[in-house]
Amino acid sequence: MMTVRAVNTCYLLRSGSPPPLSSFCCRFNHFSSLDLSRGYGLQLRLRFPALRGELVNFGHGGVRSCCFHSLLESAMAELASYGRRRRVPAVAVKLTSSGELLDDKPGSQTLVEGLLLEFKKDSDRLLLAVAQKPDGKKNWMVYDQVLLLQTSMLTRNGVTSSIRPQQITYIVPGVEKFDQTEISSFIQKAEDNLDPSLLEFAWVELLENNKSVTAEELAEMIFGSAEPLESYCAHLLLTRDNLYFTVRENKGSRSVYVPRTTEQVNSLVVLIDVDEFMIKNLAKEAADRELNEFLQLLKSAKAMPSHAKPPKSSWMIEEKFQSKIQSIEAYAIDEFTSEDQKKTAGEILKAMGMTKTSSSAVNLLIAIGYFPVHVNLDLLKLNIRTDHSEEMNLAAENMLSECPDPDHFERQDLTHLKVYAIDVDEADELDDALSATKLQDGRIRVWIHVADATRYVQPGSFLDREAMRRATSVFLPTATYPMFPEKLAMQGMSLKQGEICNAVTVSVVLNSDGWLFLLLTILLCWCTSIAEYSVDNSIIKPTYMLTYESASELLNLNLEEEVELRILSEAAALRLRWRRQQGAVDTQNIETRIKVVNPDDPEPSINLYVENQADHAMRLVTEMMVLCGEVIATFGSQNNIPLPYRGQPQSNIDVSAFAHLPEGPVRTAAIIKILRAAEIDFRKPIRHGILGLPGYVQFTSPIRRYLDLLAHYQVKAFLRGDSPPFSAGQLEGAAASVNMQTRLIRKLSSTSLRYWIIEYLRRQPKQRRYRALILRFIKDRVAALLLVDVGFQASAWVSTGSGIGDEVRVKVEEARPREDYISLKEAL
């Protein structure tokens, strides 16, 4: 009878039908005479003579029996013998140019270039290498691919080493001039083909015939071939085996193995099981001690006052505690890496007398000081990058110190212009500024200066790829996380007051809004408010860095020396009037900005600002940014430049239907409900109905938004006379991932702002009353309200008689920011 086993398309053939290993392997449940209820009963029987004499059955159907003690002593002796044999030093071999064995005497080894060999790097590592050249009289230089054969951990860092002949443990037969770059592949193929169960069949066959075996003979036996890969696989199986075979002798780098007897194998199985049993019990005891120690640390930290709680870093010092605290953190944000992690966190929460919920995990981490009281869970859940790697910072510094300006000789010198940079007071990345003048014919000329980020960043560079992954800078009430490393964004790219700065400048001459303009508008359907424009590389010297508040003050003062600012305001009004004529929808609203000082404190300071988008300075900046976007879209269209052209179809509903509503937030809230989603085309401009423009491209924030940076890459290439670096299809692919990340960050910004507004309201005196506009009715008398004083929308029941657009007074009954809950009540 022949038994056939298929192994990776190779076959193992053996005659006869000896019983499978399971018929004579002894396990714990075979020993009815051993009392394991006391923990280490079996271990005691192995160690103390008084417990000798128990009989254990082995073999087929219990035909043979032996003394348990003698069996164990035999196994122990075999293990000792095996250990001694394993420590026998490798015997050197002498090879011909073809690798044939000449001499087995130690110290007389001769190698040739290109042989594939295994050698012992140190006590823990066996490496595969290719012989290179002699190194002195006896040693050889070899090139290895770092590999831990025992754990199959592979890296690709090849190392050239000098080795002694005695270090060689195996020479792969049949190999000449092996390519050292193929070592990793060879090892991986060998590891993929290892099947330890093959040794069981080979052991039965060889035991029956009382034969010894070499690696090459075993390969022929189990794989049907002794080719280099099969021989090396067999060698790995034999050297890693501690059960079926033992080394009889070493012949240089070729060892001869003999099968152990059935009794020896059974004894080793018993010992292996005993070890496993002991290890499991010891491991459980150690785990219990470790858990109890960790629980005591948690309880101690909870009891400490806020200022004395251990820092987060202290929980990371010891690996055993680090894994446990990380499991609780994963439970808090519902981000488990494994079921074991989830189980560990659940056990800890239960032991601490808490329910197995994410909120309990959050509360525990806050209680011990690991999380701040106002931890941003969404920031953790969304895995938003908040810092830059050392490699990123180094690349940024190299750009600042070494990067030449490719457009140095092509830049227009606009340093004579008065330049206004207007932004929020805490802005760090200043990427746009404005200039204006009146021409002799009465028309207005404006310049929109945009920071030239591509001066330092090129498409496909390390900085560019990282910026693409981030998609946008992150602005939260507690912190700002820039898209580029801070030093590059603030020092290199940003516009700075009183300093020479690189920019891309859009210059626009606006048509007059007099009778001639109106006549041309009627006669020429293509006419817009733009009379002429240009796009150029430039250098500027910003004159003023203004906040919106200070810019509004200057406009109200109407100072003669700031006539340029008045001209900009006039241009903005002209543009707004023209866009409305083109069907633009006015969506002015009020926005809330919050700056949290010391956010990790239990009671951080909250500074809240409410901005009205109808403010003169905000209108001025908005209109100039929209004008820049229209010019870039026109420029791209006329020159066939692929760009992220933005559009937004106007709704089918006539917005004039909302004319009865008060202008401002109430009307805007109604209009926003009917707006359709924005669209992007990468080949040609599409109408932006909401802005009232034939085309629009976001261009003014290349330091903050990656899609703006992409537009800069395309435009800058055209200005240099080069082809655009990206096709329309490539832009579309990049925009897909960028927009996905941008949506996540918008969600994060929105929820963070909402959290801190609710926290702000929670802290206010209970008796405080808030002005609220009724935006719409949700159901019956439950209305959607806008709290004008804080720029926050919520809902509340309002009394009969109140209508949309009316103002009511409300008070805050309850506010719980962690649960995103607020309860308002009308104050009658």
Side-chain angles (χ1 to χ4, degrees):
M1 175 179 174
M2 300 291 289
T3 303
V4 182
R5 176 180 174 88
V7 183
N8 299 324
T9 72
C10 296
Y11 298 93
L12 172 68
L13 302 176
R14 60 182 174 85
S15 61
S17 55
L21 182 62
S22 58
S23 67
F24 49 75
C25 284
C26 330
R27 302 289 177 182
F28 285 139
N29 56 2
H30 291 177
F31 301 107
S32 59
S33 61
L34 298 181
D35 178 12
L36 300 183
S37 62
R38 299 182 182 178
Y40 301 121
L42 184 53
Q43 180 185 10
L44 294 174
R45 294 180 189 278
L46 293 177
R47 292 185 176 178
F48 297 98
L51 300 178
R52 297 178 182 176
E54 299 291 343
L55 294 179
V56 183
N57 290 327
F58 294 91
H60 310 297
V63 175
R64 292 159 55 186
S65 65
C66 66
C67 173
F68 182 60
H69 170 67
S70 61
L71 176 61
L72 288 176
E73 282 197 342
S74 173
M76 297 299 288
E78 170 61 23
L79 283 177
S81 173
Y82 174 75
R84 287 194 298 272
R85 290 168 185 162
R86 296 285 284 179
R87 289 192 292 271
V88 173
V91 181
V93 294
K94 188 174 182 180
L95 302 171
T96 66
S97 59
S98 60
E100 295 297 327
L101 183 66
L102 291 182
D103 191 356
D104 287 341
K105 295 180 180 179
S108 62
Q109 184 172 19
T110 301
L111 298 177
V112 294
E113 181 182 354
L115 284 182
L116 183 62
L117 57 89
E118 181 189 273
F119 73 97
K120 182 172 289 189
K121 181 79 170 182
D122 49 46
S123 59
D124 297 322
R125 291 189 298 173
L126 293 172
L127 307 180
L128 205 59
V130 176
Q132 299 291 305
K133 59 183 179 180
D135 182 28
K137 293 183 178 181
K138 296 182 180 180
N139 292 4
W140 263 74
M141 298 297 295
V142 298
Y143 180 92
D144 69 76
Q145 196 75 6
V146 177
L147 174 73
L148 299 183
L149 293 175
Q150 289 77 4
T151 58
S152 301
M153 293 175 59
L154 178 64
T155 68
R156 297 186 179 277
N157 300 318
V159 176
T160 301
S161 307
S162 177
I163 66 170
R164 302 184 309 276
Q166 291 81 1
Q167 290 178 256
I168 298 174
T169 55
Y170 187 67
I171 295 177
V172 180
V175 174
E176 291 185 5
K177 298 189 180 303
F178 192 85
D179 184 353
Q180 60 195 31
T181 63
E182 297 295 323
I183 297 178
S184 295
S185 175
F186 185 85
I187 293 172
Q188 191 59 55
K189 288 178 182 177
E191 292 290 342
D192 291 342
N193 283 278
L194 292 186
D195 183 359
S197 63
L198 294 175
L199 288 177
E200 176 186 340
F201 295 96
W203 172 74
V204 172
E205 179 77 15
L206 294 167
L207 184 63
E208 287 181 350
N209 298 312
N210 192 27
K211 291 177 62 177
S212 60
V213 69
T214 64
E216 292 75 22
E217 292 168 340
L218 181 67
E220 188 72 47
M221 183 177 182
I222 63 176
F223 296 120
S225 169
E227 291 297 311
L229 181 61
E230 286 76 7
S231 295
Y232 185 57
C233 287
H235 165 73
L236 291 180
L237 287 171
L238 288 168
T239 54
R240 296 180 187 182
D241 172 55
N242 291 321
L243 183 62
Y244 296 110
F245 292 90
T246 184
V247 177
R248 188 184 72 186
E249 60 179 319
N250 284 319
K251 292 186 177 180
S253 60
R254 287 174 173 79
S255 298
V256 178
Y257 297 82
V258 292
R260 287 191 172 94
T261 64
T262 301
E263 289 79 6
Q264 290 171 334
V265 169
N266 288 335
S267 301
L268 290 174
V269 169
V270 172
L271 293 178
I272 289 171
D273 282 348
V274 170
D275 286 343
E276 288 178 353
F277 177 79
M278 292 170 58
I279 289 170
K280 286 179 182 178
N281 278 276
L282 292 172
K284 185 178 184 306
E285 288 183 0
D288 290 342
R289 286 195 302 270
E290 194 176 286
L291 178 61
N292 289 331
E293 187 179 353
F294 182 70
L295 293 174
Q296 290 304 314
L297 290 176
L298 293 178
K299 293 173 182 177
S300 175
K302 279 186 67 177
M304 294 178 181
S306 297
H307 66 276
K309 293 184 185 295
K312 182 177 181 177
S313 58
S314 66
W315 297 94
M316 300 296 177
I317 296 174
E318 293 191 54
E319 185 176 348
K320 59 182 180 180
F321 296 147
Q322 178 182 351
S323 61
K324 288 179 173 54
I325 202 75
Q326 287 176 338
S327 70
I328 304 175
E329 182 176 358
Y331 210 102
I333 63 175
D334 294 322
E335 290 289 341
F336 300 107
T337 57
S338 66
E339 282 300 315
D340 285 342
Q341 193 178 51
K342 182 178 181 179
K343 181 180 177 182
T344 298
E347 290 175 350
I348 293 171
L349 291 172
K350 182 179 179 181
M352 292 294 292
M354 307 176 76
T355 57
K356 296 180 182 181
T357 62
S358 59
S359 59
S360 292
V362 172
N363 292 335
L364 175 59
L365 293 173
I366 291 174
I368 66 173
Y370 183 84
F371 276 172
V373 172
H374 299 286
V375 59
N376 191 329
L377 293 176
D378 287 326
L379 189 63
L380 299 175
K381 290 178 181 179
L382 297 175
N383 197 27
I384 302 296
R385 291 179 172 88
T386 58
D387 56 5
H388 294 277
S389 66
E390 286 298 322
E391 186 180 6
M392 186 84 164
N393 288 322
L394 181 60
E397 290 183 9
N398 290 338
M399 286 294 102
L400 287 173
S401 60
E402 301 173 4
C403 181
D405 180 9
D407 306 303
H408 175 72
F409 297 105
E410 305 297 328
R411 293 190 184 277
Q412 284 193 2
D413 188 347
L414 301 179
T415 55
H416 61 282
L417 295 175
K418 182 178 284 189
V419 178
Y420 299 89
I422 305 172
D423 211 326
V424 295
D425 56 355
E426 68 268 16
D428 295 316
E429 304 165 330
L430 295 172
D431 44 18
D432 54 71
L434 305 168
S435 301
T437 190
K438 274 206 172 179
L439 304 177
Q440 290 183 349
D441 59 5
R443 293 184 300 173
I444 294 175
R445 181 171 188 169
V446 298
W447 291 266
I448 302 106
H449 312 287
V450 183
D452 190 358
T454 64
R455 156 76 171 78
Y456 297 101
V457 182
Q458 299 302 315
S461 66
F462 176 65
L463 289 168
D464 170 72
R465 294 195 305 273
E466 183 62 21
M468 180 179 174
R469 282 191 286 268
R470 292 171 183 264
T472 178
S473 294
V474 182
F475 301 98
L476 303 179
T478 52
T480 296
Y481 305 111
M483 185 171 71
F484 288 107
E486 189 170 318
K487 195 170 185 179
L488 180 62
M490 313 312 177
Q491 296 183 21
M493 297 177 174
S494 287
L495 305 179
K496 296 173 286 295
Q497 182 174 333
E499 297 185 21
I500 302 296
C501 302
N502 296 313
V504 178
T505 296
V506 172
S507 172
V508 187
V509 176
L510 298 176
N511 280 311
S512 169
D513 60 349
W515 66 269
L516 180 60
F517 166 69
L518 295 176
L519 179 61
L520 287 173
T521 302
I522 295 171
L523 296 177
L524 303 172
C525 62
W526 49 265
C527 184
T528 72
S529 67
I530 298 174
E532 57 185 80
Y533 73 87
S534 65
V535 181
D536 302 284
N537 294 304
S538 66
I539 56 171
I540 62 171
K541 189 175 182 180
T543 312
Y544 295 121
M545 296 294 183
L546 302 175
T547 64
Y548 289 115
E549 292 81 1
S550 58
S552 293
E553 280 187 43
L554 284 176
L555 286 170
N556 292 332
L557 291 173
N558 198 23
L559 300 175
E560 186 62 32
E561 56 268 30
E562 300 302 336
V563 62
E564 293 87 352
L565 191 61
R566 290 208 316 273
I567 295 173
L568 281 169
S569 181
E570 183 182 340
L574 177 65
R575 281 287 299 173
L576 177 60
R577 183 161 55 250
W578 178 82
R579 287 196 305 108
R580 284 175 173 170
Q581 291 171 351
Q582 307 306 308
V585 178
D586 198 348
T587 56
Q588 60 176 311
N589 210 336
I590 62 175
E591 287 190 350
T592 306
R593 285 192 298 110
I594 283 184
K595 186 70 174 178
V596 180
V597 182
N598 299 323
D600 288 345
D601 289 351
E603 291 287 324
S605 174
I606 303 175
N607 301 318
L608 183 143
Y609 313 89
V610 178
E611 297 175 338
N612 189 341
Q613 292 179 333
D615 174 80
H616 289 313
M618 296 197 77
R619 280 286 196 190
L620 185 160
V621 173
T622 299
E623 287 302 325
M624 293 302 101
M625 299 304 104
V626 171
L627 173 60
C628 180
E630 182 187 359
V631 170
I632 294 299
T634 304
F635 180 75
S637 176
Q638 290 179 348
N639 296 289
N640 296 316
I641 305 173
L643 290 168
Y645 297 100
R646 290 182 173 272
Q648 190 168 20
Q650 284 173 305
S651 173
N652 294 328
I653 300 177
D654 186 359
V655 294
S656 63
F658 303 101
H660 66 285
L661 297 175
E663 190 175 4
V666 176
R667 185 184 296 178
T668 295
I671 292 173
I672 288 175
K673 297 287 288 182
I674 65 170
L675 294 183
R676 294 164 63 183
E679 300 172 354
I680 302 182
D681 192 295
F682 299 93
R683 293 165 179 80
K684 62 183 185 302
I686 53 177
R687 177 167 176 75
H688 202 303
I690 306 306
L691 296 179
L693 300 178
Y696 176 67
V697 173
Q698 286 186 333
F699 193 76
T700 56
S701 296
I703 307 177
R704 308 180 189 188
R705 296 188 301 239
Y706 187 76
L707 283 188
D708 292 43
L709 184 68
L710 280 179
H712 274 247
Y713 286 147
Q714 301 291 89
V715 169
K716 291 271 292 180
F718 181 85
L719 293 178
R720 285 194 295 268
D722 299 334
S723 298
F726 300 105
S727 67
Q730 289 171 326
L731 286 179
E732 186 172 3
S737 62
V738 168
N739 286 334
M740 184 181 300
Q741 182 71 2
T742 300
R743 285 192 290 270
L744 290 178
I745 292 173
R746 283 178 182 165
K747 177 184 177 183
L748 170 66
S749 300
S750 176
T751 56
S752 299
L753 180 63
R754 182 176 175 85
Y755 175 94
W756 285 105
I757 293 176
I758 297 176
E759 174 63 14
Y760 173 85
L761 294 171
R762 184 188 69 81
R763 298 189 191 182
Q764 301 309 301
K766 288 291 184 182
Q767 64 273 19
R768 180 175 175 179
R769 302 294 183 263
Y770 301 88
R771 296 167 49 223
L773 288 174
I774 299 177
L775 301 178
R776 65 183 184 279
F777 284 97
I778 301 172
K779 182 180 180 182
D780 298 329
R781 301 306 300 171
V782 178
L785 305 175
L786 174 65
L787 277 62
V788 180
D789 302 323
V790 292
F792 180 72
Q793 290 191 26
S795 61
W797 183 92
V798 295
S799 57
T800 304
S802 300
I804 295 176
D806 290 345
E807 184 176 298
V808 296
R809 297 276 174 165
V810 297
K811 62 180 180 179
V812 177
E813 291 278 282
E814 189 175 6
R816 299 195 297 269
R818 181 66 62 201
E819 301 169 30
D820 191 28
Y821 175 82
I822 187 166
S823 174
L824 302 179
K825 184 177 182 180
E826 185 179 9
L828 299 175

